[in-house]
């Protein structure tokens, strides 16, 4: 891991009083839905993921490959291997496409992690993707209209910044965590790439696991294990000075 430690102690805005309200490991999560779409219960999500998992395993055993849509190598891990649910249904491995799926008007893509070792079905929340992309478009527009300058706020992590929402015109774009329901912040690197900041959710997950984490391990794994959802639109997080800190790609 090439993380450069600095003398300054970087402190994300972690409030101890919020931790008790965050994710409960192993518990089903309801998640967010697009406006106008009925929310599924946690048990419904669990059942949907389990049904798709079984269909993927059957398909792989019979066909010798995974039922995934093509993706470029540059696509991030938490967006990459989207499951072709229509193919699973058309070939008889999946009776009904789950209501949570984008293909049925829901707010999630079903995707596969650990495709080579142990293919595991997870959910990508499209509300999170949409909101981060909305902020990204505003940043790109500001950058284009101001000679490459960015609407930079405070540097809260090494080479990662808050966004000046007034300058960027993003004050109306808000995002709640798919894990905890608490507000998520948007952060930006020096090139203007935008990410969701999952530090509060990760801190809660680490606390649930005993308050420690193995050095050099990407802490997003804690969220993978805690939920059906992946931390989409995120950077790798590592344990620094007792806190989860995202690593800038630059």
């Amino acid at each position: 891991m090439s993380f450069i430690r600095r003398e300054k102690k970087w402190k994300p805005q972690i409030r101890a009083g919020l931790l008790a309200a965050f994710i409960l490991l192993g518990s089903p999560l309801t998640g967010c839905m697009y406006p106008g779409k009925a929310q599924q219960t946690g048990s419904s999500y669990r059942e949907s993921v389990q049904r798709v998992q079984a269909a993927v395993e059957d398909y792989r055993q019979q066909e010798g490959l995974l039922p995934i849509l093509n993706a470029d190598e540059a696509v991030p891990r938490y967006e990459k291997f989207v499951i072709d649910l229509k193919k699973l249904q058309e070939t008889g491995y999946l009776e009904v496409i789950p209501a949570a799926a984008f293909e049925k008007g829901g707010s999630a893509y079903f995707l596969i992690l650990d495709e080579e070792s142990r293919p595991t079905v997870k959910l990508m929340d499209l509300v999170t993707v949409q909101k981060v992309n909305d902020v990204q478009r505003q940043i790109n527009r500001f950058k284009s209209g101001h000679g490459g300058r960015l609407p930079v706020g405070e540097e809260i992590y090494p080479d990662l910044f808050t966004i000046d929402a007034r300058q960027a015109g993003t004050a109306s774009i808000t995002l709640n965590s798919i894990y905890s329901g608490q507000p998520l912040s948007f952060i930006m690197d020096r090139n203007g790439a935008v990410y969701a900041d999952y530090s509060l959710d990760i801190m809660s997950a680490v606390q649930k696991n005993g308050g420690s984490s193995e050095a050099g391990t990407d802490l997003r794994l804690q969220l993978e294990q805690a939920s059906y959802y992946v931390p989409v639109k995120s950077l790798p997080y590592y344990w620094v000075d007792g806190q989860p800190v995202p690593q800038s790609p630059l």
Side-chain angles (χ1 to χ4, degrees):
M1 178 188 63
S2 58
F3 188 89
I4 300 175
R5 295 285 295 276
R6 300 187 177 188
E7 290 185 3
K8 184 176 180 179
K9 188 173 181 180
W10 301 92
K11 294 186 176 182
Q13 302 301 313
I14 296 175
R15 299 175 178 85
L18 292 177
L19 292 178
F22 289 164
I23 50 176
L24 300 174
L25 296 185
S27 297
L29 300 173
T30 58
C32 301
M33 301 293 285
Y34 283 128
K37 301 295 182 183
Q39 275 193 312
Q40 286 190 304
T41 64
S43 59
S44 296
Y45 276 109
R46 180 174 63 249
E47 180 184 352
S48 296
V49 169
Q50 289 173 348
R51 283 195 291 112
V52 174
Q53 180 76 53
V56 166
E57 292 173 358
D58 289 345
Y59 185 95
R60 186 189 189 198
Q61 183 177 7
Q62 296 297 321
E63 309 295 335
L65 68 164
L66 291 171
I68 54 179
L69 302 172
N70 292 331
D72 187 87
E73 285 297 321
V75 177
R77 177 171 184 258
Y78 294 128
E79 302 175 44
K80 192 168 189 178
F81 295 114
V82 176
I83 298 171
D84 191 339
L85 295 177
K86 290 184 178 179
K87 177 182 288 186
L88 284 176
Q89 185 183 40
E90 290 169 356
T91 53
Y93 291 94
L94 186 65
E95 183 177 353
V96 177
I97 295 177
F102 174 78
E103 293 85 344
K104 296 291 285 187
S107 66
Y109 275 147
F110 284 71
L111 73 160
I112 290 176
L113 298 184
D114 303 326
E115 69 285 351
E116 293 184 359
S117 56
R118 186 180 179 183
T120 303
V121 175
K122 292 287 184 178
L123 297 171
M124 179 206 310
D125 178 50
L126 296 178
V127 173
T128 300
V129 174
Q130 177 184 337
K131 292 296 184 71
V132 172
N133 288 345
D134 288 346
V135 174
Q136 186 68 69
R137 280 191 289 271
Q138 289 297 107
I139 296 300
N140 294 346
R141 185 177 293 114
F142 182 94
K143 185 177 179 180
S144 177
H146 292 79
R149 186 168 64 87
L150 294 171
V152 173
E154 178 188 0
E155 185 176 13
I156 57 171
Y157 306 109
D159 294 319
L160 292 168
F161 307 84
T162 60
I163 296 167
D164 188 324
R166 183 186 61 80
Q167 291 189 65
T170 59
S172 64
I173 305 174
T174 59
L175 174 62
N176 290 333
S177 167
I178 198 68
Y179 301 105
S180 65
Q182 298 294 329
L184 285 185
S185 299
F186 300 104
I187 53 177
M188 175 177 63
D189 65 26
R190 290 187 180 276
N191 284 341
V194 178
Y195 310 90
D197 184 3
Y198 291 93
S199 58
L200 288 170
D201 292 314
I202 291 173
M203 186 62 150
S204 177
V206 171
Q207 293 263 331
K208 292 288 183 180
N209 280 339
S212 63
S213 181
E214 184 178 347
T217 300
D218 186 347
L219 296 172
R220 291 180 298 178
L221 293 173
Q222 301 265 359
L223 298 182
E224 285 184 33
Q225 296 165 4
S227 172
Y228 307 124
Y229 284 93
V230 296
V232 68
K233 295 297 182 183
S234 65
L235 290 165
Y237 282 76
Y238 298 98
W239 198 245
V240 179
D241 295 329
Q243 295 176 14
V245 175
Q247 183 179 19
S248 171
L250 304 178

